Amino acid sequence: LYRKLVENSSEGILIINYKGKILFANPAVVKMFGFKSINECIGKNALDLIDPKYHKIAKKDQLLVNNGKGDLYVQSHPT
């Protein structure tokens, strides 16, 4: 059930490691960012998908999560 929910979601869902490397992406991520396949985005740095003006915020959020002081749930920021 969980797998179907994630794979069929219209929302982009990523799982990243503590360094920001993409370990999992659902099909919506592929569509949103114009990848040809899920495998094309696996291994990339998640910062590559974020507008550079938000990199500082994303790095701060990731550091909090890495230190066990926060949960990382990122929503799209308006551009």
Side-chain angles (χ1 to χ4, degrees), residues 1 27 41 62 75:
L1 179 65
C41 63
Q62 185 67 41
Q75 292 182 313

Side-chain angles (χ1 to χ4, degrees), residues 46-60:
L47 285 178
D48 295 341
L49 307 180
I50 299 172
D51 187 314
K53 67 183 175 185
Y54 297 112
H55 281 193
K56 187 175 180 180
I57 294 168
K59 288 177 183 180
K60 180 182 170 192

Side-chain angles (χ1 to χ4, degrees), residues 6-71:
V6 171
E7 289 177 350
N8 294 317
S9 175
S10 61
E11 297 290 326
I13 299 172
L14 293 171
I15 296 175
I16 61 173
N17 71 6
Y18 71 98
K19 291 183 177 180
K21 181 180 174 182
I22 298 171
L23 304 176
F24 170 85
N26 72 344
V29 171
V30 173
K31 184 176 179 181
M32 288 168 53
F33 294 101
F35 292 111
K36 294 177 183 157
S37 70
I38 290 172
N39 288 336
E40 186 180 353
C41 63
I42 301 299
K44 292 196 181 300
N45 190 301
L47 285 178
D48 295 341
L49 307 180
I50 299 172
D51 187 314
K53 67 183 175 185
Y54 297 112
H55 281 193
K56 187 175 180 180
I57 294 168
K59 288 177 183 180
K60 180 182 170 192
D61 289 346
Q62 185 67 41
L63 185 61
L64 288 171
V65 171
N66 290 350
N67 291 324
K69 297 181 180 177
D71 294 322

